[in-house]
Amino acid sequence: GVIRVSPNHPIGNGVEAILTASGFGRPPGQRPQQTFCLDLKRDLNILRKQLSPSWRRNLSKAEEKGLTIRPMASTEDLQRFFDLHSEMVHWKGFQSHLTWDLLRELWRVSCGSSGIHGFLAMNGEEVVAGRILGFLGEEALDLFAVTTLRGREIFASYQLLWEVIKTAKARGCSRLDLGGIDPTGNRGVFDFKHGVRGDLVEFVGHWNFCRGRALRWFFDTM
């Protein structure tokens, strides 16, 4: 068998040494996972002021459009999000491991204090953007996002993420992990998240444990 772990710990706090001593190994060539983390203990006005000028300008443009931001309240809302996400993945040619069965199960086991929670940006009756976050204690993690063509025209993703930031802060979260970045392979998303002005953090990434050289080689190349 094989065990794969992805500890939510930054590089340099001793976790790598513990994993190595326990028989885990990092797949060859794998880069550390990078993300931006936003400190939600700061005052909301300060968080808005620290946004990049272009991000703050686009947020104001979105707010002028009269969008409605609301939480996902049903599996029908979840299905609408998943359908739009699938269309976006196909259109952009991305790879995604998100399936309807996985998303529905995560939704089923979630509760008020932990698990996944979704948010939709509505332009009238039309869903123009959506985000799904994971909550665990004081940690919030931006997991999945989608924006339609109309949503991009009216900067819906800016207002939606800003409302998500406000919601996470109101829930008592101390940190929002913006969910991974790839400045080379996905520059647009990198620039969008960078504009929030969170702190750049490198996590230790994936580590595998398995017995046998052949099995280790197989999973290290996945």
Side-chain angles (χ1 to χ4, degrees):
V2 63
I3 300 173
R4 169 168 285 185
V5 297
S6 300
N8 190 32
H9 288 278
I11 288 175
N13 65 355
V15 172
E16 293 165 288
I18 294 173
L19 288 169
T20 300
S22 301
F24 285 84
R26 177 184 282 145
Q30 180 193 250
R31 296 177 301 171
Q33 295 177 326
Q34 293 185 319
T35 187
F36 290 116
C37 289
L38 188 64
D39 182 0
L40 296 178
K41 297 188 297 295
R42 299 171 186 170
D43 184 80
L44 197 60
N45 291 326
I46 293 176
L47 290 175
R48 181 149 183 157
K49 288 179 180 178
Q50 77 180 23
L51 299 171
S52 74
S54 62
W55 215 102
R56 204 162 48 243
R57 184 167 56 251
N58 290 339
L59 172 58
S60 296
K61 289 178 180 178
E63 291 171 333
E64 293 170 358
K65 301 296 182 180
L67 297 173
T68 301
I69 310 298
R70 67 172 180 84
M72 294 184 196
S74 64
T75 53
E76 287 75 21
D77 283 342
L78 195 70
Q79 182 73 64
R80 294 171 79 181
F81 173 89
F82 180 77
D83 291 344
L84 289 174
H85 187 271
S86 298
E87 291 175 11
M88 183 189 70
V89 168
H90 176 74
W91 175 62
K92 289 190 173 183
F94 289 165
Q95 288 187 337
S96 175
H97 300 293
L98 181 64
T99 65
W100 171 243
D101 287 342
L102 172 61
L103 188 58
R104 183 175 54 184
E105 181 63 14
L106 289 172
W107 179 268
R108 186 187 69 81
V109 300
S110 297
C111 63
S113 60
S114 63
I116 65 168
H117 295 263
F119 305 85
L120 298 174
M122 310 293 298
N123 182 29
E125 295 298 316
E126 180 186 6
V127 178
V128 291
R131 301 194 89 86
I132 290 180
L133 273 77
F135 290 100
L136 183 61
E138 295 185 358
E139 298 286 328
L141 172 61
D142 192 18
L143 293 172
F144 309 109
V146 63
T147 306
T148 66
L149 290 174
R150 177 56 180 161
R152 283 191 285 275
E153 292 174 356
I154 57 179
F155 305 100
S157 57
Y158 292 85
Q159 185 174 350
L160 178 56
L161 182 53
W162 179 244
E163 291 299 323
V164 162
I165 290 170
K166 291 164 62 176
T167 299
K169 183 172 175 61
R171 288 173 62 102
C173 294
S174 62
R175 186 177 78 166
L176 171 61
D177 181 339
L178 289 173
I181 51 176
D182 183 358
T184 302
N186 198 342
R187 186 72 194 188
V189 171
F190 172 84
D191 289 339
F192 175 73
K193 294 181 179 182
H194 183 249
V196 180
R197 293 298 191 252
D199 298 319
L200 179 64
V201 177
E202 286 191 333
F203 290 113
V204 297
H206 300 308
W207 289 68
N208 294 337
F209 176 90
C210 52
R211 301 190 183 279
R213 291 183 179 180
L215 193 61
R216 178 179 290 276
W217 174 87
F218 176 76
F219 281 101
D220 281 351
T221 57
M222 290 182 64

